[in-house]
Amino acid sequence: DAKTTQPPSMDCAEGRAANLPCNHSTISGNEYVYWYRQIHSQGPQYIIHGLKNNETNEMASLIITEDRKSSTLILPHATLRDTAVYYCIVSDIQGAQKLVFGQGTRLTINP
Amino acid sequence: DSGVTQTPKHLITATGQRVTLRCSPRSGDLSVYWYQQSLDQGLQFLIQYYNGEERAKGNILERFSAQQFPDLHSELNLSSLELGDSALYFCASSARPDREQFFGPGTRLTVL
């Protein structure tokens, strides 16, 4: 599975959009980009995933660059409850799809 | 609430002992995954089962074993416990291996 690089920490003001970047320059054609988050020591929570096109759901938007070497997770109106560690994961959807978690980005939403 | 349940929530035991962690997947999910989260290693994939059969193995120690039963619940057995096995153990489930995973609340294991 391709390796991802994320900033270790970010801050965002409550009510503003939080943009979390992820670099995955060695991604291969059959690998998807997944985002999960972990609030404190709770179980990780699935947010969104995509292959090439931008994706949006009720939680967030995922913007993937045309060359697929990087992506950005956007939380449009961050709340204090969005404070968490966000993990960007690249995974081959064929076969077992085990998730390889890196260190993630610790996002702090400030009032 | 993800729909995945794990028991017990907390477990305190001594070195050399054996414990069993239990996971019930979301209704209808056939795939179960086990992960370990320790302070120094982060979240690591251990093993996956799909409809009762082992599908993939990660960094799982030989002292650890798992199985998935016909009712689809899964158990992770940890034996000859060492201090370094102290960690959060998460179970996740998905409808199929190519779908998103839903994680349980975890079992916190403390080995003294």
PDB file of all heavy atoms in Angstrom, chain B residues 3 6 20 22 27 32 34 39 48 50-51 60 71 73 82-83 89-91 97 102-103 105-106 109 111:
ATOM      1  N   GLY B   3     -22.578   0.137  15.852  1.00  0.00           N
ATOM      2  CA  GLY B   3     -23.257  -1.142  15.723  1.00  0.00           C
ATOM      3  C   GLY B   3     -22.353  -2.323  16.003  1.00  0.00           C
ATOM      4  O   GLY B   3     -22.819  -3.467  16.065  1.00  0.00           O
ATOM      5  N   GLN B   6     -18.044  -4.727  21.549  1.00  0.00           N
ATOM      6  CA  GLN B   6     -16.862  -5.434  22.025  1.00  0.00           C
ATOM      7  C   GLN B   6     -16.978  -5.607  23.533  1.00  0.00           C
ATOM      8  O   GLN B   6     -17.406  -4.695  24.237  1.00  0.00           O
ATOM      9  CB  GLN B   6     -15.580  -4.643  21.729  1.00  0.00           C
ATOM     10  CG  GLN B   6     -15.217  -4.589  20.264  1.00  0.00           C
ATOM     11  CD  GLN B   6     -13.866  -3.935  20.043  1.00  0.00           C
ATOM     12  OE1 GLN B   6     -13.791  -2.855  19.466  1.00  0.00           O
ATOM     13  NE2 GLN B   6     -12.809  -4.593  20.487  1.00  0.00           N
ATOM     14  N   THR B  20      -9.409 -13.581  26.464  1.00  0.00           N
ATOM     15  CA  THR B  20     -10.199 -13.642  25.233  1.00  0.00           C
ATOM     16  C   THR B  20     -11.019 -12.376  25.099  1.00  0.00           C
ATOM     17  O   THR B  20     -11.747 -12.004  26.026  1.00  0.00           O
ATOM     18  CB  THR B  20     -11.133 -14.873  25.245  1.00  0.00           C
ATOM     19  OG1 THR B  20     -10.349 -16.063  25.292  1.00  0.00           O
ATOM     20  CG2 THR B  20     -11.997 -14.889  23.990  1.00  0.00           C
ATOM     21  N   ARG B  22     -13.911 -10.370  22.827  1.00  0.00           N
ATOM     22  CA  ARG B  22     -15.030 -10.765  21.983  1.00  0.00           C
ATOM     23  C   ARG B  22     -15.548  -9.586  21.167  1.00  0.00           C
ATOM     24  O   ARG B  22     -15.555  -8.450  21.646  1.00  0.00           O
ATOM     25  CB  ARG B  22     -16.150 -11.335  22.851  1.00  0.00           C
ATOM     26  CG  ARG B  22     -17.345 -11.841  22.075  1.00  0.00           C
ATOM     27  CD  ARG B  22     -18.489 -12.189  23.014  1.00  0.00           C
ATOM     28  NE  ARG B  22     -19.711 -12.401  22.254  1.00  0.00           N
ATOM     29  CZ  ARG B  22     -20.212 -13.588  21.941  1.00  0.00           C
ATOM     30  NH1 ARG B  22     -19.606 -14.695  22.343  1.00  0.00           N
ATOM     31  NH2 ARG B  22     -21.331 -13.698  21.252  1.00  0.00           N
ATOM     32  N   SER B  27     -24.979  -6.018  12.240  1.00  0.00           N
ATOM     33  CA  SER B  27     -25.879  -7.004  11.658  1.00  0.00           C
ATOM     34  C   SER B  27     -25.658  -7.090  10.148  1.00  0.00           C
ATOM     35  O   SER B  27     -25.669  -6.069   9.459  1.00  0.00           O
ATOM     36  CB  SER B  27     -27.326  -6.589  11.953  1.00  0.00           C
ATOM     37  OG  SER B  27     -28.218  -7.469  11.342  1.00  0.00           O
ATOM     38  N   VAL B  32     -14.756  -9.290   9.559  1.00  0.00           N
ATOM     39  CA  VAL B  32     -14.336  -8.792  10.870  1.00  0.00           C
ATOM     40  C   VAL B  32     -12.830  -8.569  10.857  1.00  0.00           C
ATOM     41  O   VAL B  32     -12.082  -9.388  10.316  1.00  0.00           O
ATOM     42  CB  VAL B  32     -14.714  -9.785  11.989  1.00  0.00           C
ATOM     43  CG1 VAL B  32     -14.045  -9.401  13.296  1.00  0.00           C
ATOM     44  CG2 VAL B  32     -16.223  -9.835  12.183  1.00  0.00           C
ATOM     45  N   TRP B  34      -9.370  -7.151  13.287  1.00  0.00           N
ATOM     46  CA  TRP B  34      -8.837  -6.824  14.608  1.00  0.00           C
ATOM     47  C   TRP B  34      -7.631  -5.906  14.445  1.00  0.00           C
ATOM     48  O   TRP B  34      -6.771  -6.136  13.587  1.00  0.00           O
ATOM     49  CB  TRP B  34      -8.413  -8.078  15.371  1.00  0.00           C
ATOM     50  CG  TRP B  34      -9.565  -8.888  15.894  1.00  0.00           C
ATOM     51  CD1 TRP B  34     -10.141  -9.978  15.306  1.00  0.00           C
ATOM     52  CD2 TRP B  34     -10.280  -8.664  17.119  1.00  0.00           C
ATOM     53  NE1 TRP B  34     -11.183 -10.441  16.092  1.00  0.00           N
ATOM     54  CE2 TRP B  34     -11.278  -9.662  17.207  1.00  0.00           C
ATOM     55  CE3 TRP B  34     -10.172  -7.724  18.147  1.00  0.00           C
ATOM     56  CZ2 TRP B  34     -12.156  -9.742  18.294  1.00  0.00           C
ATOM     57  CZ3 TRP B  34     -11.054  -7.809  19.216  1.00  0.00           C
ATOM     58  CH2 TRP B  34     -12.042  -8.814  19.279  1.00  0.00           C
ATOM     59  N   LEU B  39       0.664   2.899  22.562  1.00  0.00           N
ATOM     60  CA  LEU B  39       1.207   4.259  22.525  1.00  0.00           C
ATOM     61  C   LEU B  39       2.381   4.370  21.572  1.00  0.00           C
ATOM     62  O   LEU B  39       2.529   5.364  20.870  1.00  0.00           O
ATOM     63  CB  LEU B  39       1.623   4.688  23.932  1.00  0.00           C
ATOM     64  CG  LEU B  39       0.471   5.138  24.833  1.00  0.00           C
ATOM     65  CD1 LEU B  39       0.970   5.413  26.232  1.00  0.00           C
ATOM     66  CD2 LEU B  39      -0.212   6.367  24.256  1.00  0.00           C
ATOM     67  N   GLN B  48      -7.830 -10.461   9.712  1.00  0.00           N
ATOM     68  CA  GLN B  48      -9.170 -10.288   9.157  1.00  0.00           C
ATOM     69  C   GLN B  48      -9.800 -11.642   8.888  1.00  0.00           C
ATOM     70  O   GLN B  48      -9.135 -12.570   8.427  1.00  0.00           O
ATOM     71  CB  GLN B  48      -9.125  -9.503   7.849  1.00  0.00           C
ATOM     72  CG  GLN B  48     -10.519  -9.282   7.247  1.00  0.00           C
ATOM     73  CD  GLN B  48     -10.540  -9.255   5.736  1.00  0.00           C
ATOM     74  OE1 GLN B  48      -9.506  -9.402   5.095  1.00  0.00           O
ATOM     75  NE2 GLN B  48     -11.701  -9.073   5.150  1.00  0.00           N
ATOM     76  N   TYR B  50     -13.392 -13.371   6.989  1.00  0.00           N
ATOM     77  CA  TYR B  50     -14.537 -13.121   6.132  1.00  0.00           C
ATOM     78  C   TYR B  50     -15.385 -14.378   6.134  1.00  0.00           C
ATOM     79  O   TYR B  50     -14.923 -15.439   5.693  1.00  0.00           O
ATOM     80  CB  TYR B  50     -14.115 -12.753   4.714  1.00  0.00           C
ATOM     81  CG  TYR B  50     -15.269 -12.558   3.766  1.00  0.00           C
ATOM     82  CD1 TYR B  50     -16.099 -11.447   3.878  1.00  0.00           C
ATOM     83  CD2 TYR B  50     -15.554 -13.506   2.783  1.00  0.00           C
ATOM     84  CE1 TYR B  50     -17.168 -11.267   3.030  1.00  0.00           C
ATOM     85  CE2 TYR B  50     -16.632 -13.341   1.931  1.00  0.00           C
ATOM     86  CZ  TYR B  50     -17.428 -12.212   2.060  1.00  0.00           C
ATOM     87  OH  TYR B  50     -18.497 -12.030   1.210  1.00  0.00           O
ATOM     88  N   ASN B  51     -16.588 -14.270   6.640  1.00  0.00           N
ATOM     89  CA  ASN B  51     -17.542 -15.370   6.662  1.00  0.00           C
ATOM     90  C   ASN B  51     -16.924 -16.647   7.240  1.00  0.00           C
ATOM     91  O   ASN B  51     -17.105 -17.730   6.691  1.00  0.00           O
ATOM     92  CB  ASN B  51     -18.062 -15.622   5.255  1.00  0.00           C
ATOM     93  CG  ASN B  51     -19.429 -16.295   5.263  1.00  0.00           C
ATOM     94  OD1 ASN B  51     -20.134 -16.292   6.275  1.00  0.00           O
ATOM     95  ND2 ASN B  51     -19.796 -16.883   4.145  1.00  0.00           N
ATOM     96  N   ILE B  60       0.496  -9.884  13.540  1.00  0.00           N
ATOM     97  CA  ILE B  60      -0.063 -10.586  14.690  1.00  0.00           C
ATOM     98  C   ILE B  60       0.963 -11.570  15.229  1.00  0.00           C
ATOM     99  O   ILE B  60       1.567 -12.340  14.471  1.00  0.00           O
ATOM    100  CB  ILE B  60      -1.388 -11.286  14.323  1.00  0.00           C
ATOM    101  CG1 ILE B  60      -2.049 -11.887  15.566  1.00  0.00           C
ATOM    102  CG2 ILE B  60      -1.207 -12.310  13.209  1.00  0.00           C
ATOM    103  CD1 ILE B  60      -3.491 -12.301  15.372  1.00  0.00           C
ATOM    104  N   ASP B  71     -21.980 -17.739  13.775  1.00  0.00           N
ATOM    105  CA  ASP B  71     -22.903 -16.605  13.945  1.00  0.00           C
ATOM    106  C   ASP B  71     -22.209 -15.279  13.639  1.00  0.00           C
ATOM    107  O   ASP B  71     -22.786 -14.218  13.857  1.00  0.00           O
ATOM    108  CB  ASP B  71     -23.500 -16.590  15.352  1.00  0.00           C
ATOM    109  CG  ASP B  71     -22.454 -16.295  16.424  1.00  0.00           C
ATOM    110  OD1 ASP B  71     -21.256 -16.235  16.098  1.00  0.00           O
ATOM    111  OD2 ASP B  71     -22.834 -16.126  17.594  1.00  0.00           O
ATOM    112  N   HIS B  73     -19.752 -13.728  15.051  1.00  0.00           N
ATOM    113  CA  HIS B  73     -18.975 -13.030  16.071  1.00  0.00           C
ATOM    114  C   HIS B  73     -17.542 -13.566  16.040  1.00  0.00           C
ATOM    115  O   HIS B  73     -17.273 -14.648  15.514  1.00  0.00           O
ATOM    116  CB  HIS B  73     -19.626 -13.147  17.452  1.00  0.00           C
ATOM    117  CG  HIS B  73     -19.168 -14.315  18.285  1.00  0.00           C
ATOM    118  ND1 HIS B  73     -19.768 -15.560  18.232  1.00  0.00           N
ATOM    119  CD2 HIS B  73     -18.158 -14.405  19.188  1.00  0.00           C
ATOM    120  CE1 HIS B  73     -19.158 -16.363  19.077  1.00  0.00           C
ATOM    121  NE2 HIS B  73     -18.181 -15.701  19.674  1.00  0.00           N
ATOM    122  N   GLU B  82       2.467 -10.360  27.922  1.00  0.00           N
ATOM    123  CA  GLU B  82       3.631  -9.584  28.338  1.00  0.00           C
ATOM    124  C   GLU B  82       3.181  -8.151  28.594  1.00  0.00           C
ATOM    125  O   GLU B  82       2.116  -7.726  28.135  1.00  0.00           O
ATOM    126  CB  GLU B  82       4.698  -9.628  27.243  1.00  0.00           C
ATOM    127  CG  GLU B  82       5.147 -11.033  26.892  1.00  0.00           C
ATOM    128  CD  GLU B  82       6.119 -11.055  25.719  1.00  0.00           C
ATOM    129  OE1 GLU B  82       6.414  -9.965  25.167  1.00  0.00           O
ATOM    130  OE2 GLU B  82       6.572 -12.162  25.362  1.00  0.00           O
ATOM    131  N   LEU B  83       4.034  -7.408  29.303  1.00  0.00           N
ATOM    132  CA  LEU B  83       3.705  -6.017  29.606  1.00  0.00           C
ATOM    133  C   LEU B  83       3.414  -5.233  28.334  1.00  0.00           C
ATOM    134  O   LEU B  83       2.521  -4.389  28.281  1.00  0.00           O
ATOM    135  CB  LEU B  83       4.849  -5.359  30.374  1.00  0.00           C
ATOM    136  CG  LEU B  83       5.148  -5.919  31.760  1.00  0.00           C
ATOM    137  CD1 LEU B  83       6.351  -5.193  32.362  1.00  0.00           C
ATOM    138  CD2 LEU B  83       3.948  -5.804  32.678  1.00  0.00           C
ATOM    139  N   TYR B  89      -7.555  -2.712  21.979  1.00  0.00           N
ATOM    140  CA  TYR B  89      -7.800  -3.653  20.892  1.00  0.00           C
ATOM    141  C   TYR B  89      -9.164  -3.327  20.287  1.00  0.00           C
ATOM    142  O   TYR B  89     -10.183  -3.349  20.973  1.00  0.00           O
ATOM    143  CB  TYR B  89      -7.747  -5.096  21.399  1.00  0.00           C
ATOM    144  CG  TYR B  89      -6.350  -5.497  21.781  1.00  0.00           C
ATOM    145  CD1 TYR B  89      -5.836  -5.194  23.044  1.00  0.00           C
ATOM    146  CD2 TYR B  89      -5.513  -6.136  20.867  1.00  0.00           C
ATOM    147  CE1 TYR B  89      -4.534  -5.526  23.393  1.00  0.00           C
ATOM    148  CE2 TYR B  89      -4.216  -6.481  21.206  1.00  0.00           C
ATOM    149  CZ  TYR B  89      -3.736  -6.170  22.470  1.00  0.00           C
ATOM    150  OH  TYR B  89      -2.440  -6.501  22.800  1.00  0.00           O
ATOM    151  N   PHE B  90      -9.138  -3.013  18.998  1.00  0.00           N
ATOM    152  CA  PHE B  90     -10.373  -2.666  18.299  1.00  0.00           C
ATOM    153  C   PHE B  90     -10.763  -3.769  17.337  1.00  0.00           C
ATOM    154  O   PHE B  90      -9.926  -4.376  16.667  1.00  0.00           O
ATOM    155  CB  PHE B  90     -10.196  -1.374  17.490  1.00  0.00           C
ATOM    156  CG  PHE B  90     -10.052  -0.141  18.326  1.00  0.00           C
ATOM    157  CD1 PHE B  90      -8.824   0.470  18.460  1.00  0.00           C
ATOM    158  CD2 PHE B  90     -11.157   0.420  18.962  1.00  0.00           C
ATOM    159  CE1 PHE B  90      -8.682   1.626  19.223  1.00  0.00           C
ATOM    160  CE2 PHE B  90     -11.025   1.563  19.733  1.00  0.00           C
ATOM    161  CZ  PHE B  90      -9.780   2.163  19.863  1.00  0.00           C
ATOM    162  N   CYS B  91     -12.050  -3.960  17.257  1.00  0.00           N
ATOM    163  CA  CYS B  91     -12.639  -4.822  16.257  1.00  0.00           C
ATOM    164  C   CYS B  91     -13.397  -3.924  15.290  1.00  0.00           C
ATOM    165  O   CYS B  91     -13.958  -2.892  15.687  1.00  0.00           O
ATOM    166  CB  CYS B  91     -13.598  -5.804  16.940  1.00  0.00           C
ATOM    167  SG  CYS B  91     -14.667  -6.701  15.833  1.00  0.00           S
ATOM    168  N   PRO B  97     -15.190  -7.168   2.130  1.00  0.00           N
ATOM    169  CA  PRO B  97     -13.824  -6.643   2.308  1.00  0.00           C
ATOM    170  C   PRO B  97     -13.568  -5.330   1.574  1.00  0.00           C
ATOM    171  O   PRO B  97     -12.657  -4.606   1.933  1.00  0.00           O
ATOM    172  CB  PRO B  97     -12.953  -7.770   1.731  1.00  0.00           C
ATOM    173  CG  PRO B  97     -13.766  -8.999   1.924  1.00  0.00           C
ATOM    174  CD  PRO B  97     -15.189  -8.569   1.677  1.00  0.00           C
ATOM    175  N   PHE B 102     -16.400  -0.341  10.065  1.00  0.00           N
ATOM    176  CA  PHE B 102     -17.023   0.299  11.219  1.00  0.00           C
ATOM    177  C   PHE B 102     -16.394  -0.304  12.471  1.00  0.00           C
ATOM    178  O   PHE B 102     -16.377  -1.520  12.633  1.00  0.00           O
ATOM    179  CB  PHE B 102     -18.533   0.071  11.205  1.00  0.00           C
ATOM    180  CG  PHE B 102     -19.206   0.747  10.042  1.00  0.00           C
ATOM    181  CD1 PHE B 102     -19.292   0.115   8.808  1.00  0.00           C
ATOM    182  CD2 PHE B 102     -19.707   2.033  10.165  1.00  0.00           C
ATOM    183  CE1 PHE B 102     -19.895   0.738   7.721  1.00  0.00           C
ATOM    184  CE2 PHE B 102     -20.310   2.664   9.095  1.00  0.00           C
ATOM    185  CZ  PHE B 102     -20.396   2.024   7.870  1.00  0.00           C
ATOM    186  N   PHE B 103     -15.871   0.577  13.308  1.00  0.00           N
ATOM    187  CA  PHE B 103     -15.106   0.139  14.468  1.00  0.00           C
ATOM    188  C   PHE B 103     -15.946   0.093  15.734  1.00  0.00           C
ATOM    189  O   PHE B 103     -16.818   0.940  15.952  1.00  0.00           O
ATOM    190  CB  PHE B 103     -13.923   1.087  14.702  1.00  0.00           C
ATOM    191  CG  PHE B 103     -12.787   0.897  13.740  1.00  0.00           C
ATOM    192  CD1 PHE B 103     -12.886   1.347  12.431  1.00  0.00           C
ATOM    193  CD2 PHE B 103     -11.625   0.251  14.140  1.00  0.00           C
ATOM    194  CE1 PHE B 103     -11.836   1.168  11.531  1.00  0.00           C
ATOM    195  CE2 PHE B 103     -10.572   0.071  13.265  1.00  0.00           C
ATOM    196  CZ  PHE B 103     -10.684   0.531  11.952  1.00  0.00           C
ATOM    197  N   PRO B 105     -16.023   0.059  20.108  1.00  0.00           N
ATOM    198  CA  PRO B 105     -15.465   0.989  21.099  1.00  0.00           C
ATOM    199  C   PRO B 105     -14.130   0.535  21.679  1.00  0.00           C
ATOM    200  O   PRO B 105     -13.459   1.313  22.346  1.00  0.00           O
ATOM    201  CB  PRO B 105     -16.537   1.010  22.189  1.00  0.00           C
ATOM    202  CG  PRO B 105     -17.219  -0.306  22.057  1.00  0.00           C
ATOM    203  CD  PRO B 105     -17.192  -0.657  20.612  1.00  0.00           C
ATOM    204  N   GLY B 106     -13.754  -0.707  21.418  1.00  0.00           N
ATOM    205  CA  GLY B 106     -12.444  -1.179  21.871  1.00  0.00           C
ATOM    206  C   GLY B 106     -12.474  -1.866  23.231  1.00  0.00           C
ATOM    207  O   GLY B 106     -13.398  -1.688  24.024  1.00  0.00           O
ATOM    208  N   LEU B 109      -6.784  -3.356  27.350  1.00  0.00           N
ATOM    209  CA  LEU B 109      -6.096  -4.425  28.082  1.00  0.00           C
ATOM    210  C   LEU B 109      -4.895  -3.850  28.820  1.00  0.00           C
ATOM    211  O   LEU B 109      -4.069  -3.161  28.215  1.00  0.00           O
ATOM    212  CB  LEU B 109      -5.616  -5.509  27.103  1.00  0.00           C
ATOM    213  CG  LEU B 109      -4.751  -6.612  27.706  1.00  0.00           C
ATOM    214  CD1 LEU B 109      -5.566  -7.464  28.686  1.00  0.00           C
ATOM    215  CD2 LEU B 109      -4.153  -7.484  26.610  1.00  0.00           C
ATOM    216  N   VAL B 111      -1.791  -5.186  31.187  1.00  0.00           N
ATOM    217  CA  VAL B 111      -1.051  -6.331  31.700  1.00  0.00           C
ATOM    218  C   VAL B 111      -0.081  -5.827  32.759  1.00  0.00           C
ATOM    219  O   VAL B 111       0.750  -4.955  32.483  1.00  0.00           O
ATOM    220  CB  VAL B 111      -0.290  -7.054  30.572  1.00  0.00           C
ATOM    221  CG1 VAL B 111       0.431  -8.279  31.132  1.00  0.00           C
ATOM    222  CG2 VAL B 111      -1.238  -7.460  29.453  1.00  0.00           C
TER     223      VAL B 111
END
